[in-house]
Amino acid sequence: MVLALVAGCQMTASDLKESAFRPSDNPVTVDSVSRNNRLAELARSQHPRILATYGGEYSDPKLERMVAKVVGNLTTVSGNPGQTYRITILNSPNVNAFALPGGYLYVTRGLLALANDSAELAAVISHEMGHVTANHGIQRQQKEAEEVLATKVVTDVLGESPSAKVALIRGKLRLAQFSRNQELEADAIGIKASGQAGFDPFAAGRFLQSMAAYSDFRSVSGATDPSLDFLASHPNAPQRIELAQRHARQFDTPGSGVTDRDSFLDGIDGLLFGDTPEEGYVRGTTFLHPRLGISFSVPAGFVIDNSAAAVTATGPGDMAIRFDGVSIDGNMALTDYLRSGWVSGLEDGTVRAETINGNEAAVAKARADGWQFDVAVIRANGQVYRLLTAAPVASTSLDAVARSVSGTFHVLSAAEKAALKPLRIRVVTVRPGQTIGTLAASMVGVDRKLDLFRVINGLAPGAAVSTGYRVKIITDR
């Protein structure tokens, strides 16, 4: 948690030093904020939900000091210098940042991993500060309350008639347009603030382009949860980027502001990238969980998506795989568990006991709503795991894929668990002879290395790197 409690009227930019912004030994907590502040009350109620949704807080004092330094510079030119801001770094690989009423600002470690300098981070944070300054949280809540009331009136009076649906759609479009207007207003406020604080004002447009490139990359390679990303809640379009650049030109020409790139890169060096040990790791087509001590693989052509609720994979022919764990009575036979009612369309005659790589197991088939399913349950280390493979009824690949996946399930050895390390961002300096290709090839644990290297370093197609330039790579070392 990073706390920035600097009133702009009390400190000048020349007074700002990194040493002045350290994680507080006596931080302001949600409960210590004035209970008479209605905005803080709203934020207090939402804060735990946000932490639960985005993996809790990410703690790294070096990173926190870097973020706090950026926030401290921005507060000196804030449109509301008396506003107290509380910054939370969220332990999520998703790329997002947002604000709550009362000065609560959030940025994910995924966003920090994508940014390339302090000016880009300042652009994001000042944008969210703009929402707070303009009271967008309250405006949005009022608008949503009006929309809920309007929806109730329409459905109560008109029922499910076509005219009722048209009215609801129009209402939702009005709400969406209001949101877009808020975003553009926050862009204008944020770019002005970051420019006045001395940061490169063109960083906003630059980072919008980076986020769009990352979104495109993930749409091909598979995303953890796109609904949690910045672009899902913040409209992004070429026109918005052009507007951001137009606002930036009011300050100066590109390259005129401070980027503070080295300080930013020093702060994110060692930053966790991707999944946490608690969620398990995806390495290509293999899922490994060091804490649970298990692993399985999916066939080539499938993309694994690891979320807190389950591990899923999608592949050719509209096939899908789901993996999760469940607690059941240790004395219950796995064949009885398959017949206990949780499998819709179970074909009882297909239920049979098996052994998979030395582990007690049971398998069965099911059919429902145009789909066929293969279900495998496996008991390992006192836990029961479920592997569900689904395919359209016309598919002839179900058996082969399902047996391939369940056949790879195994308990990790002590050596395998010890060898598993989380992926991290490492900042390296380009040496003579190194190219984008060789640097990308040095990354581990990720697919489409060259494309991802370009995206995380903000490099356009055809760009090159020169000796002495600092870049980010992803590695488990």
Side-chain angles (χ1 to χ4, degrees):
M1 182 66 68
V2 178
L3 300 172
L5 306 174
V6 183
C9 60
Q10 297 173 334
M11 183 174 285
T12 65
S14 62
D15 294 324
L16 294 170
K17 299 186 187 311
E18 184 173 345
S19 60
F21 295 93
R22 295 193 175 111
S24 174
D25 293 328
N26 184 25
V28 175
T29 65
V30 176
D31 291 333
S32 68
V33 176
S34 170
R35 285 170 173 75
N36 295 322
N37 185 331
R38 185 165 64 95
L39 301 180
E41 284 284 357
L42 293 172
R44 185 183 298 112
S45 66
Q46 294 298 318
H47 184 75
R49 299 177 191 175
I50 289 174
L51 292 181
T53 302
Y54 285 88
E57 300 176 15
Y58 183 77
S59 179
D60 178 345
K62 175 169 63 72
L63 182 68
E64 293 169 352
R65 286 194 296 270
M66 182 273 290
V67 174
K69 180 182 175 183
V70 172
V71 176
N73 278 279
L74 291 172
T75 56
T76 65
V77 295
S78 170
N80 182 5
Q83 174 69 63
T84 292
Y85 291 97
R86 171 186 174 137
I87 304 289
T88 301
I89 300 175
L90 296 167
N91 190 18
S92 169
N94 294 89
V95 177
N96 210 347
F98 43 90
L100 290 183
Y104 286 68
L105 305 177
Y106 299 85
V107 59
T108 62
R109 61 174 170 83
L111 187 145
L112 295 171
L114 182 61
N116 275 285
D117 57 48
S118 295
E120 291 184 355
L121 176 58
V124 172
I125 292 178
S126 61
H127 171 96
E128 301 306 332
M129 285 174 137
H131 282 305
V132 175
T133 300
N135 286 324
H136 286 165
I138 293 299
Q139 294 176 20
R140 181 68 177 268
Q141 217 172 44
Q142 290 171 341
K143 197 73 174 180
E144 288 176 346
E146 293 169 7
E147 186 61 29
V148 169
L149 180 59
T151 298
K152 187 177 187 305
V153 170
V154 169
T155 54
D156 285 352
V157 175
L158 300 178
E160 291 300 318
S161 69
S163 58
K165 293 180 179 178
V166 170
L168 293 177
I169 290 171
R170 286 175 177 167
K172 292 182 185 301
L173 288 175
R174 283 196 300 271
L175 182 59
Q177 181 62 48
F178 179 78
S179 176
R180 281 195 294 272
N181 289 340
Q182 285 184 329
E183 295 300 337
L184 294 176
E185 184 181 1
D187 280 347
I189 295 171
I191 292 169
K192 179 180 178 181
S194 61
Q196 288 178 336
F199 291 109
D200 175 12
F202 289 87
R206 191 166 67 240
F207 194 56
L208 282 170
Q209 290 172 327
S210 288
M211 285 190 290
Y214 188 57
S215 179
D216 291 342
F217 172 85
R218 282 168 36 114
S219 70
V220 174
S221 63
T224 52
D225 188 345
S227 68
L228 299 180
D229 273 357
F230 189 90
L231 295 182
S233 57
H234 296 70
N236 183 51
Q239 297 92 331
R240 186 180 176 198
I241 295 174
E242 170 55 32
L243 280 173
Q245 293 170 336
R246 190 184 308 168
H247 288 307
R249 283 192 288 270
Q250 295 176 0
F251 291 93
D252 216 324
T253 55
S256 58
V258 172
T259 60
D260 197 19
R261 188 170 185 269
D262 282 338
S263 175
F264 178 84
L265 292 178
D266 289 342
I268 66 168
D269 190 23
L271 175 67
L272 187 67
F273 184 88
D275 300 322
T276 66
E278 291 75 20
E279 295 169 338
Y281 304 132
V282 176
R283 298 290 186 267
T285 56
T286 299
F287 174 76
L288 310 100
H289 202 300
R291 301 288 174 85
L292 298 177
I294 54 91
S295 173
F296 70 90
S297 299
V298 298
F302 279 74
V303 175
I304 300 178
D305 175 12
N306 182 22
S307 71
V311 180
T312 58
T314 54
D318 292 330
M319 295 193 70
I321 299 163
R322 177 187 169 95
F323 172 82
D324 63 10
V326 63
S327 296
I328 67 171
D329 187 331
N331 296 318
M332 176 181 280
L334 293 181
T335 50
D336 291 339
Y337 175 61
L338 281 174
R339 293 187 173 104
S340 63
W342 63 276
V343 181
S344 298
L346 179 70
E347 298 177 349
D348 191 80
T350 66
V351 177
R352 69 181 188 276
E354 278 195 359
T355 298
I356 296 178
N357 291 325
N359 300 295
E360 177 191 354
V363 298
K365 293 285 194 298
R367 284 178 178 255
D369 300 325
W371 290 85
Q372 54 178 325
F373 303 92
D374 183 281
V375 187
V377 290
I378 307 168
R379 183 174 273 135
N381 295 333
Q383 174 77 40
V384 172
Y385 298 98
R386 306 185 296 192
L387 271 169
L388 176 71
T389 306
V393 288
S395 174
T396 58
S397 303
L398 178 65
D399 284 348
V401 170
R403 295 288 72 77
S404 168
V405 176
S406 62
T408 65
F409 179 94
H410 71 282
V411 175
L412 296 174
S413 68
E416 286 177 312
K417 287 192 286 187
L420 275 177
K421 306 293 183 185
L423 298 181
R424 297 187 183 276
I425 292 286
R426 294 296 181 190
V427 178
V428 299
T429 301
V430 180
R431 299 192 304 271
Q434 287 186 313
T435 65
I436 286 178
T438 59
L439 288 162
S442 72
M443 301 203 302
V444 301
V446 295
D447 296 323
R448 299 176 59 208
K449 295 180 181 181
L450 183 59
D451 291 338
L452 182 57
F453 179 85
R454 289 187 182 279
V455 169
I456 65 172
N457 285 288
L459 297 171
V465 292
S466 56
T467 301
Y469 189 69
R470 302 177 75 194
V471 295
K472 296 178 289 185
I473 64 170
I474 298 166
T475 179
D476 60 359
R477 295 185 288 276

